[in-house]
Amino acid sequence: QVQLVESGGGLVQAGGSLRLSCVVSGSISSINDIPVGWHRQAPGKQREFVALASSVDGNTYSGAVKGRFTITRDNAKKTVYLDMNRLKPEDTGVYYCITSRLGVTSWGQGTQVTVAS
């Protein structure tokens, strides 16, 4: 069983930056051995992929955030980060951490990001 807890969301002006954190706990010895990523859901829209860190495929990003967002992992802290720069109003939404292990997908509860124009 894996638990994910996000934090770091908030209100920011367009052009600003935020760092989201996702603490991974449970029966995991190393977060470097599992794929971990971020999705987001804007009001009235479907949840969408944002970024993924994978030991097999490296780091991948959606076209909407590539070049502005960076996903990193700190295994000692069992924490996944999403550094978001040059934020835009369309980045507003609830950001969810996600991982998959042994065929089971786990989601965090989400953290709200609001970008004011």
Side-chain angles (χ1 to χ4, degrees):
Q1 191 77 5
V2 177
Q3 295 81 41
L4 308 171
V5 179
E6 304 97 330
S7 63
L11 173 64
V12 64
Q13 293 293 316
S17 300
L18 277 177
R19 166 176 264 202
L20 304 184
S21 300
C22 171
V23 177
V24 183
S25 62
S27 53
I28 294 287
S29 59
S30 171
I31 64 171
N32 291 332
D33 297 334
I34 56 173
V36 289
W38 294 88
H39 287 227
R40 68 186 181 188
Q41 187 167 18
K45 294 188 177 181
Q46 289 189 332
R47 197 171 296 189
E48 64 176 5
F49 166 78
V50 174
L52 174 70
S54 165
S55 59
V56 175
D57 300 318
N59 295 345
T60 56
Y61 301 92
S62 71
V65 308
K66 193 171 185 179
R68 299 187 297 122
F69 291 12
T70 304
I71 186 171
T72 56
R73 295 185 275 194
D74 184 337
N75 188 49
K77 296 181 178 180
K78 295 290 193 293
T79 301
V80 182
Y81 300 101
L82 185 67
D83 288 297
M84 307 186 295
N85 298 307
R86 291 181 279 138
L87 283 161
K88 304 175 182 179
E90 51 263 45
D91 294 318
T92 293
V94 179
Y95 282 69
Y96 298 91
C97 187
I98 176 176
T99 189
S100 179
R101 181 174 178 269
L102 300 177
V104 177
T105 298
S106 301
W107 294 87
Q109 84 289 347
T111 185
Q112 176 70 45
V113 172
T114 303
V115 184
S117 57

